[in-house]
Amino acid sequence: CNQAAEALDTLRATPTDLVITDVKMPGETGLALLEQVRASWPDVPVIVMTGFGSVQDAVTAMKAGAADYIIKPIEKAELLVIVERALQTRAMRAELTALRREVDDKYGFDNIIGLDHNDVFSFLRHLDSFNVFSGADCFSESRNRFRIDVLG
């Protein structure tokens, strides 16, 4: 793609694993493209490259969420390492999200408390570390005691 608009059209039409953009492009800058990609496809890493690097552009790119900022020219081997690292980071984040979802599905609050409040109180009466009270707060902790109220 030669322009940010083309890149965005491609992203809308095709699942994309990684974006590499130059800071200097016809139309919008690569930094503007970076911001749009991060806003619409936050899981797609963006590597920003330039032949006219400045510390300010590098800081701006990294603060905007760039996976890396490269000054051209760059050796092919170095670029491959940077791309591999960005894709590995993306894969680890996706795995972490899936694992968190799995843990939440299995051990989340909805799976701890039953729908019938009598079941909850029956369960809690068998635990020595809990004292069950009635009151206005939904949950509050005080000196190893938990306050659980049934609302509704």
Side-chain angles (χ1 to χ4, degrees):
C1 301
N2 293 328
Q3 295 186 8
E6 276 183 64
L8 292 171
D9 289 342
T10 300
L11 283 164
R12 285 184 198 98
T14 309
T16 304
D17 294 319
L18 176 76
V19 172
I20 300 176
T21 183
D22 200 317
V23 171
K24 303 278 187 201
M25 297 189 325
E28 290 187 80
T29 68
L31 296 176
L33 176 62
L34 165 66
E35 291 177 9
Q36 292 176 41
V37 172
R38 300 297 299 148
S40 298
W41 299 275
D43 62 323
V44 174
V46 179
I47 297 172
V48 177
M49 60 186 350
T50 185
F52 310 98
S54 73
V55 173
Q56 182 59 40
D57 279 349
V59 169
T60 300
M62 298 309 285
K63 282 185 176 182
D68 213 323
Y69 185 86
I70 302 169
I71 308 278
K72 296 186 288 186
I74 185 168
E75 295 292 323
K76 181 180 177 181
E78 184 181 356
L79 179 60
L80 290 175
V81 168
I82 291 168
V83 166
E84 183 178 349
R85 185 178 54 222
L87 292 173
Q88 285 176 342
T89 300
R90 179 183 188 203
M92 286 189 299
R93 286 184 178 152
E95 182 178 6
L96 178 60
T97 299
L99 290 171
R100 284 182 174 164
R101 188 175 303 117
E102 184 179 326
V103 167
D104 190 47
D105 289 346
K106 188 170 185 176
Y107 301 107
F109 187 74
D110 291 341
N111 294 328
I112 295 173
I113 303 298
L115 295 176
D116 183 356
H117 71 279
N118 290 322
D119 290 342
V120 174
F121 287 120
S122 174
F123 171 75
L124 292 177
R125 283 189 186 97
H126 296 296
L127 299 175
D128 292 335
S129 63
F130 282 88
N131 290 311
V132 178
F133 297 96
S134 178
D137 294 334
C138 186
F139 279 87
S140 62
E141 184 178 345
S142 173
R143 294 186 202 158
N144 297 328
R145 291 183 172 178
F146 291 87
R147 179 185 184 126
I148 300 174
D149 297 325
V150 177
L151 305 175

